[in-house]
């Protein structure tokens, strides 16, 4: 029996190289490992929980996420790729879990507290936002997933899912829901073009969908060690965001030590250093762009992938729900198949 893996991402627009080197490379690795059966979901309801006031681009963002996923190598034959709202059982199970989730757990959730305090440009006093972890628990528990690859920032949410399982099973029967384990894998911290963490909100990203020219333009104009005013001024790679990117994307150790030495003695110029970085990044992006080209502009193909993903996910989801209703004491609709 393969271990089930479920993960999801909110559709927030174009994904960047930080997502690619982090979460997505992990998704691909798990998908290609025979020991696992993976389900990957685009969590559009989760996006609405905080973006309900400007939700009109959610659908477009779902297509963008799907394209980025396919481009980095997620294979819809191997893993169902689906949109959360296309499998209505996510909403159904979230409602069911809401019956037993104490409000105190949600108000005490550190992620909730932090976001309520820090995000001032949106009104997050809505019921849905408070219930974010309940829907996330439903996403996972619906597939009886054993493993959930997530970033450390999701660990409180995962722990809440586990607590919800224990409380649910306590009320309605041991073994009905399965306690998921988080899978925190070491992923490189990817800096953006300004040296801070790569993030859409900082405007310092290199996007997965970006073409070579536009990426090179960003790299070419990056700030470097300010000590290197002129070509003949020596510098220190540790004070340079270009070097931070070399550390993540350049795996040629010999070249890297040459660059570091060349920087310190002004033996290499910043433009050459950036060209070497660019070459590595473009090599990495070539297969990604080739895969993307197969899908880009082909809405019909993307819709077929999503329809197939939702159908396969639904099958698993319906099976779980068929236990939930009777366990909770609800009368089964005799006309509903399962
Ligand atoms: N909350 C996750 C994030 O913001 C996305 C997510 C939604 C998720 N449902 C999930 C992750 C289920 C793992 C499992 O990154
Ligand atoms: Fe940065 Fe490279 Fe210039 Fe050194 S040579 S300052 S590492 S861009």
């Amino acid at each position: 029996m393969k271990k089930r893996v479920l993960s999801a991402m909110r559709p927030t627009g174009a994904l960047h190289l930080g997502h690619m080197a982090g979460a997505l490379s992990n998704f691909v690795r798990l998908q290609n490992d025979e020991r696992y059966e993976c389900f990957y979901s685009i969590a559009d309801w989760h996006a609405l929980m905080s973006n309900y006031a400007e939700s009109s681009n959610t659908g477009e963002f779902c297509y963008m996420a799907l394209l980025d996923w396919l481009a980095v190598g997620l294979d819809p034959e191997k893993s169902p790729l689906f949109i959360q709202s296309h499998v209505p059982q996510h909403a159904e199970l979230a409602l069911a879990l809401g019956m037993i989730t104490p409000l105190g757990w949600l108000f005490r959730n550190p992620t909730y507290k932090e976001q309520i305090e820090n995000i001032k440009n949106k009104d997050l006093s809505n019921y849905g936002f408070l219930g974010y972890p309940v829907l996330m628990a439903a996403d996972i528990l619906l597939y009886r997933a054993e493993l959930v690859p997530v970033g450390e920032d999701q660990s409180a949410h995962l722990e809440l899912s586990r607590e919800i399982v224990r409380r649910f099973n306590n009320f309605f029967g041991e073994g009905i829901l399965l306690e998921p384990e988080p899978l925190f894998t070491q992923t490189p911290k990817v800096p953006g073009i300004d040296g801070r963490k790569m993030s859409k909100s900082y405007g310092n990203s290199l996007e997965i969908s970006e073409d070579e020219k536009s990426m090179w333009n960003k790299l070419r104009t990056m700030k470097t060690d300010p000590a290197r005013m002129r070509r003949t001024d020596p510098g220190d790679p540790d004070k340079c965001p270009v070097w931070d990117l070399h550390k993540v994307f350049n795996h040629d150790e010999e070249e890297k030590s040459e660059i570091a030495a060349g920087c310190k003695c002004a033996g290499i110029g910043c433009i050459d250093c950036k060209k070497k970085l660019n070459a590595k990044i473009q090599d990495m992006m070539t297969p990604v762009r080739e895969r993307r080209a197969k899908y880009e502009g082909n809405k019909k193909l993307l819709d077929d992938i999503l329809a197939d993903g939702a159908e396969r996910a639904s099958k698993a989801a319906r099976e779980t729900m068929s236990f939930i209703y009777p366990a909770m004491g609800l009368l089964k609709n005799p006309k509903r198949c399962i």
Side-chain angles (χ1 to χ4, degrees), residues 24-253:
L24 292 176
S25 69
N26 216 3
F27 285 13
V28 174
R29 190 178 55 78
L30 290 163
Q31 159 198 271
N32 293 335
D33 186 325
E34 290 296 322
R35 288 171 298 173
Y36 306 116
E37 179 192 19
C38 304
F39 289 79
Y40 295 123
S41 171
I42 300 172
D44 56 350
W45 280 124
H46 273 109
L48 279 194
M49 291 175 157
S50 48
N51 290 352
Y52 58 87
E54 35 181 48
S55 67
S56 60
N57 45 16
T58 307
E60 199 44 46
F61 285 177
C62 287
Y63 282 119
M64 286 164 82
L66 178 65
L67 260 173
D68 286 335
W69 284 12
L70 294 163
V72 301
L74 285 181
D75 178 352
E77 301 277 325
K78 288 188 184 154
S79 331
L81 308 178
F82 64 97
I83 292 180
Q84 183 187 37
S85 69
H86 290 182
V87 181
Q89 285 80 3
H90 288 254
E92 246 179 273
L93 183 55
L95 180 67
L97 299 178
M99 302 303 159
I100 57 113
T101 306
L103 280 175
W105 291 7
L106 300 176
F107 281 119
R108 277 196 298 274
N109 164 23
T111 318
Y112 176 74
K113 289 205 289 197
E114 191 209 277
Q115 303 213 7
I116 284 284
E117 266 163 42
N118 293 326
I119 302 178
K120 294 290 178 205
N121 59 342
K122 286 178 191 166
D123 180 0
L124 295 179
S125 61
N126 52 321
Y127 164 68
F129 188 67
L130 179 67
Y132 189 106
V134 180
L135 179 60
M136 180 160 158
D139 292 347
I140 300 163
L141 308 179
L142 195 51
Y143 300 96
R144 304 174 65 78
E146 287 179 78
L147 287 177
V148 185
V150 279
E152 293 280 354
D153 62 321
Q154 297 295 314
S155 82
H157 287 154
L158 243 294
E159 200 41 52
L160 256 169
S161 298
R162 295 162 55 83
E163 281 173 292
I164 289 173
V165 170
R166 292 197 284 270
R167 192 168 158 88
F168 188 97
N169 287 351
N170 211 3
F171 282 119
F172 304 122
E174 284 314 314
I176 303 236
L177 294 176
L178 214 69
E179 258 184 71
E181 299 275 353
L183 190 73
F184 301 121
T185 15
Q186 278 306 314
T187 46
K189 290 239 177 320
V190 180
I193 53 172
D194 60 358
R196 293 187 292 173
K197 181 179 187 273
M198 190 178 287
S199 158
K200 188 181 175 180
S201 53
Y202 292 156
N204 65 356
S205 310
L206 299 165
E207 287 160 6
I208 297 172
S209 53
E210 211 163 318
D211 66 21
E212 180 165 350
K213 202 170 144 218
S214 145
M215 266 195 198
W216 167 239
N217 245 334
K218 287 185 182 171
L219 296 176
R220 190 179 54 80
T221 51
M222 271 177 77
K223 291 215 168 64
T224 64
D225 176 0
R228 297 211 68 182
M229 294 264 283
R230 280 166 305 243
R231 168 69 179 78
T232 47
D233 294 329
D236 178 358
D238 289 329
K239 293 185 181 142
C240 177
V242 177
W243 180 246
D244 291 336
L245 286 173
H246 270 290
K247 284 197 277 194
V248 181
F249 295 113
N250 188 346
H251 306 295
D252 182 342
E253 298 305 323

